[in-house]
Amino acid sequence: MTGWLDPARLLNVAWPVYIELMAGVIASIISVVWIAKLGAPALAAVTMGATLENVLMSVILAVSGGTTIVLSRAVGASEYGQLRSVLRAAFRITLGVTAVICVVLFVLREPLAKLVLGSDEASAVRLAVDFLTIAVPGIAVFYGQHLVDSTFKANGDTRTPMRMAILSNVILVVADPVLIYGWLGAPKLGVAGAALALVSSRAVTLAVTWWLYRRSPLVREMSSAPDTSAASGPGPVREILRAGLPLGVDFLVRMAAGMLIVGVVARFGTDEVAAYGTVTRTLLFLTMAAYAMRQAATIVAAQANGAEDEVLLAASRTSSVRLGIAWSLLGGLSVLLLGRFAVDAVTGEAAIRSAAYGQIPWLAVYITLLLCNVTLSGIFLGGGQGKALATSTTVGAVLQLCLAPLLVLTPLGLTGAWIAMIINAGTQTTVLLVLATRQTDETKEVTA
């Protein structure tokens, strides 16, 4: 059954990625749990920092994701001599982007805090500035970790990044109370301690990851491979950006659409907003699995593309389609049957529960379509059709943003917002399924 469902064995590559992604979610929860005891201003400051980091994620995804794809192609083609130029290009891009972002954000950290939190919230703004003073330079470590992780993933090793994510969390669990509350004789730093704990845990993890990288099979292959002349076509910098920008655009557009839809829901009162946040928060375990399968498909498809292995490329496409459909149906059914229990576990407010119960059936339809298109998207990223993914994501998001404000003004009310979201996800899923099916048929004709 597993062989039929996943002929490319994507799940073997995907499950460590899932744990790595969930470790990132858990890290944010760890900090919130400790900071919450310091009061609302402190929590607002750290939440602002986490939100800013999510926005900045789209930038490093374009670089590290593009690096993973380009390196995976070279690994698939066994052209290890070209890896050195790709890695040098990736380092230059990361260094340049990091320098610009860190300098700009550090200089503007106070105006940015006032813009996001409000100039009247003096206490929260002051704490946010304290947090960003440490966290902004730490972006260099955050970006560096993503870049080094990409070298392991390109070689099919997703377990090392998983282990490093777990290590970072273990360090954070210990460092947070020590630096925030002054345990074990350390100074009590409060919000600044939370930022220092986060950056320190990542810095130690990056040092360990770099040590492992220097001893990795990929480095040994590069060391023994002769230098190869640059192939005709785009240079490594353009190649990385061309492969990675669709990934960054996809992430940014999805996040922007999600943030803007909250503004539409807010028209119906705080209970509906809280209910929306509650039901969507319970989806992390489902959506992270889809993103893990997407990363696995990206890696395998890129390696197959580099090796010009049409059989493996077709198998990765088949795996993505079948896993996407299976996981989306399972996810939608789980939300429909277990959604109420998840809501009850998250909140005890009767009004929020009642509002959330009414949103669950629509959420089940939406998540079914979302999980499918996210899982499918990896074969387009790895197969060199990233523009098709970015275009479908953007078109779907534009439809949602145009339709949602209009539909909520009709007798549909809040249901109109959910219909707009379903149209968005349905458009993306339909486009990707049609393209994947067409590519499969073309491959069969070529190999016949």
Side-chain angles (χ1 to χ4, degrees):
M1 176 64 180
T2 304
W4 177 86
L5 183 66
D6 183 20
R9 300 187 181 277
L10 298 184
L11 293 178
N12 292 341
V13 182
W15 72 262
V17 179
Y18 178 68
I19 295 176
E20 177 198 352
L21 293 175
M22 288 307 301
V25 175
I26 293 169
S28 64
I29 294 174
I30 292 170
S31 295
V32 167
V33 168
W34 288 111
I35 284 295
K37 299 177 182 180
L38 296 179
L43 188 58
V46 174
T47 300
M48 178 209 159
T51 303
L52 179 62
E53 186 173 280
N54 285 336
V55 174
L56 297 176
M57 178 73 79
S58 63
V59 179
I60 192 57
L61 279 178
V63 180
S64 65
T67 302
T68 300
I69 293 169
V70 176
L71 290 177
S72 295
R73 289 176 190 159
V75 169
S78 298
E79 295 176 348
Y80 291 97
Q82 292 186 4
L83 297 183
R84 286 187 286 271
S85 63
V86 174
L87 287 175
R88 284 194 295 267
F91 177 77
R92 289 198 302 270
I93 299 171
T94 304
L95 184 62
V97 168
T98 302
V100 171
I101 288 177
C102 287
V103 170
V104 171
L105 288 181
F106 192 83
V107 172
L108 299 178
R109 63 192 187 282
E110 185 171 352
L112 184 62
K114 289 180 178 179
L115 177 66
V116 174
L117 299 174
S119 56
D120 296 335
E121 299 291 338
S123 179
V125 168
R126 177 179 55 81
L127 292 173
V129 171
D130 291 343
F131 185 88
L132 293 177
T133 299
I134 298 171
V136 168
I139 291 170
V141 180
F142 179 60
Y143 280 8
Q145 184 68 47
H146 276 273
L147 182 61
V148 180
D149 282 348
S150 69
T151 64
F152 290 97
K153 292 179 179 180
N155 209 31
D157 176 10
T158 53
R159 298 189 183 192
T160 297
M162 173 196 72
R163 295 186 184 105
M164 294 302 97
I166 294 172
L167 172 63
S168 183
N169 275 12
V170 170
I171 297 172
L172 186 63
V173 167
V174 176
D176 256 344
V178 170
L179 295 174
I180 293 173
Y181 296 102
W183 289 11
L184 303 178
K188 185 178 180 180
L189 300 176
V191 167
L196 185 60
L198 182 63
V199 174
S200 299
S201 66
R202 288 173 172 175
V204 173
T205 302
L206 178 57
V208 174
T209 310
W210 178 255
W211 182 83
L212 292 173
Y213 162 74
R214 296 298 301 169
R215 289 155 181 77
S216 66
L218 188 68
V219 170
R220 289 197 296 271
E221 292 284 359
M222 283 194 297
S223 300
S224 60
D227 287 323
T228 56
S229 58
S232 60
V237 171
R238 288 183 59 190
E239 202 173 355
I240 289 170
L241 294 177
R242 188 170 63 180
L245 282 175
L247 180 59
V249 170
D250 177 78
F251 178 87
L252 192 61
V253 169
R254 289 180 189 274
M255 186 176 66
M259 292 174 65
L260 292 173
I261 200 69
V262 173
V264 176
V265 176
R267 299 180 183 181
F268 297 88
T270 55
D271 286 342
E272 291 292 355
V273 174
Y276 176 82
T278 299
V279 296
T280 52
R281 192 182 301 127
T282 60
L283 300 178
L284 283 173
F285 293 99
L286 297 172
T287 54
M288 288 303 173
Y291 279 106
M293 286 186 277
R294 173 165 98 164
Q295 276 199 42
T298 300
I299 294 166
V300 174
Q303 289 180 347
N305 197 24
E308 297 182 354
D309 187 341
E310 292 295 335
V311 174
L312 180 57
L313 191 58
S316 66
R317 193 177 297 119
T318 300
S319 288
S320 293
V321 171
R322 291 175 181 173
L323 288 172
I325 293 173
W327 186 243
S328 63
L329 292 175
L330 180 62
L333 189 62
S334 298
V335 169
L336 198 59
L337 298 179
L338 304 176
R340 284 174 171 259
F341 299 103
V343 169
D344 292 345
V346 172
T347 180
E349 294 287 337
I352 297 176
R353 282 184 175 183
S354 176
Y357 294 161
Q359 295 183 29
I360 285 174
W362 297 103
L363 175 65
V365 178
Y366 172 70
I367 197 62
T368 299
L369 297 167
L370 176 67
L371 293 176
C372 189
N373 70 62
V374 169
T375 305
L376 277 171
S377 60
I379 56 174
F380 295 94
L381 290 167
Q385 293 90 35
K387 287 184 179 179
L389 168 64
T391 301
S392 68
T393 303
T394 304
V395 169
V398 169
L399 284 174
Q400 173 182 308
L401 296 178
C402 291
L403 290 174
L406 298 177
L407 292 177
V408 296
L409 297 177
T410 70
L412 290 170
L414 181 60
T415 300
W418 281 106
I419 291 175
M421 292 169 65
I422 290 169
I423 291 173
N424 171 11
T427 300
Q428 295 178 48
T429 302
T430 302
V431 169
L432 297 183
L433 276 174
V434 169
L435 290 176
T437 302
R438 184 180 300 171
Q439 289 173 358
T440 300
D441 292 340
E442 290 174 355
T443 301
K444 287 179 179 178
E445 292 176 2
V446 171
T447 57

